[in-house]
Amino acid sequence: MQPRSADDTGLQVDLDRLPDHLGYLVRRLQRWIFKDFIQTLAPFDLRPAQYSVMTVIHANPGRSQMAVALALGIERARLVHLIDGLQARNYVERVPSANDRRSHALHLTRHGGIAFDRIRTLAAEHERRVAERVGPEQHKALLRLLAGFADG
Amino acid sequence: MQPRSADDTGLQVDLDRLPDHLGYLVRRLQRWIFKDFIQTLAPFDLRPAQYSVMTVIHANPGRSQMAVALALGIERARLVHLIDGLQARNYVERVPSANDRRSHALHLTRHGGIAFDRIRTLAAEHERRVAERVGPEQHKALLRLLAGFADG
């Protein structure tokens, strides 16, 4: 048996002004969502940022790293790192650009395309769980309210 | 002059299903909010998680690390790391608990309390900017929709 400890974890903690900070609430929701995403996508060991990159490359084959980084609002160095990981798993390939030797055109490999079909199904399953967790009406309202942040 | 490069960054990129994923939108908003928070709090070099911890200790002096970690929904190891940083800056002190030798009661130091007054003012200024950015009505709607995630 564990000795009974005189701790205070059962007592109410006052969060004071934290719930008035959108960043605090958004961060807590984001942590919950990402955890569920990672669990759902565990068969592919895929994180949300990798999924975003694969989605954009799938929908826009042949675009440059810079274009994808801009579209996702992430730094180029971070995208290069993400692409390195996806390339090591043979999901993505960099094809040297004919126009600009410094630039590479991004494509899903055949293997990446096959994986992406299944990844997409799991991501949709994850999103259904998110909608359940926040409530279907709230989910719609949140997508609408946050839409402006999808493009910068 | 920079040579004109044949890049594709000016072309529209299709985000496909990403804007239907709440996690994608929430993450983009969170990045924007955290960036503004860090800039606003630059005089104190304080990150959002450190601010959350100081807020909870300020409002609940004497509580244990476990209680604070549970209230914020973060792992105990992460909180210990955050407290280490705040203690090194003489903002927070751990007072050995009389009841439980394994436990420490958390307090702001006098120096931490004085800093926190000013930190709080800057955090409120940051929040006004967030409300401006998302729109005052949207800000209220988002706080209401996300309130459930403030307590786990």
Side-chain angles (χ1 to χ4, degrees), chain A residues 5 8-9 11-12 14 16 21-22 28 30-31 51 60 63-64 66 71-73 102 120 127 149-150, chain B residues 5 8-9 11-12 14 16 21-22 28 30-31 51 60 63-64 71-73 102 120 127 149-150:
Chain A
S5 93
D8 60 347
T9 51
L11 305 173
Q12 190 75 27
D14 178 5
D16 198 43
H21 279 296
L22 189 54
R28 289 202 69 150
Q30 185 244 314
R31 278 211 306 261
Y51 169 71
N60 308 268
R63 303 299 298 274
S64 69
M66 187 54 92
L72 292 174
R102 294 165 310 170
R120 201 174 220 184
E127 198 59 35
F149 283 88
Chain B
S5 91
D8 60 347
T9 51
L11 305 172
Q12 189 76 28
D14 178 6
D16 200 42
H21 280 293
L22 188 53
R28 289 202 70 151
Q30 185 244 312
R31 279 210 306 259
Y51 169 71
N60 310 266
R63 303 299 299 272
S64 69
L72 292 174
R102 292 165 312 171
R120 201 173 221 186
E127 198 60 34
F149 282 89

Side-chain angles (χ1 to χ4, degrees), chain B residues 74-87:
Chain B
I74 60 180
E75 289 183 10
R76 197 190 146 125
R78 172 146 167 68
L79 182 75
V80 166
H81 178 74
L82 287 163
I83 301 279
D84 286 347
L86 293 169
Q87 193 169 23

Side-chain angles (χ1 to χ4, degrees), chain A residues 41-96:
Chain A
L41 276 289
F44 290 91
D45 187 23
L46 206 76
R47 294 186 53 83
Q50 296 172 311
Y51 169 71
S52 294
V53 170
M54 285 186 80
T55 298
V56 167
I57 295 174
H58 177 263
N60 308 268
R63 303 299 298 274
S64 69
Q65 295 189 140
M66 187 54 92
V68 172
L70 280 173
L72 292 174
I74 60 180
E75 289 183 10
R76 197 190 146 126
R78 170 143 168 72
L79 183 75
V80 167
H81 178 74
L82 286 163
I83 302 278
D84 286 346
L86 292 169
Q87 192 169 24
R89 296 162 76 172
N90 191 26
Y91 282 172
V92 166
E93 58 188 342
R94 290 168 161 113
V95 180

Side-chain angles (χ1 to χ4, degrees), chain A residues 77-146:
Chain A
R78 170 143 168 72
L79 183 75
V80 167
H81 178 74
L82 286 163
I83 302 278
D84 286 346
L86 292 169
Q87 192 169 24
R89 296 162 76 172
N90 191 26
Y91 282 172
V92 166
E93 58 188 342
R94 290 168 161 113
V95 180
S97 163
N99 298 329
D100 180 355
R101 280 182 313 160
R102 294 165 310 170
S103 173
H104 291 88
L106 299 171
H107 295 268
L108 295 191
T109 61
R110 189 175 140 70
H111 173 63
I114 291 166
F116 188 65
D117 276 351
R118 177 87 183 110
I119 285 165
R120 201 174 220 184
T121 305
L122 291 178
E125 196 186 288
H126 152 75
E127 198 59 35
R128 278 193 296 276
R129 201 153 34 237
V130 172
E132 239 172 65
R133 174 74 168 89
V134 300
E137 287 311 313
Q138 289 85 338
H139 186 249
K140 264 184 236 162
L142 285 167
L143 289 179
R144 194 172 37 74
L145 282 163
L146 299 177

Side-chain angles (χ1 to χ4, degrees), chain A residues 21-49:
Chain A
H21 279 296
L22 189 54
Y24 174 73
L25 299 180
V26 154
R27 179 63 168 168
R28 289 202 69 150
L29 175 60
Q30 185 244 314
R31 278 211 306 261
W32 185 89
I33 292 177
F34 274 38
K35 197 172 158 191
D36 185 86
F37 184 95
I38 289 163
Q39 282 169 355
T40 310
L41 276 289
F44 290 91
D45 187 23
L46 206 76
R47 294 186 53 83

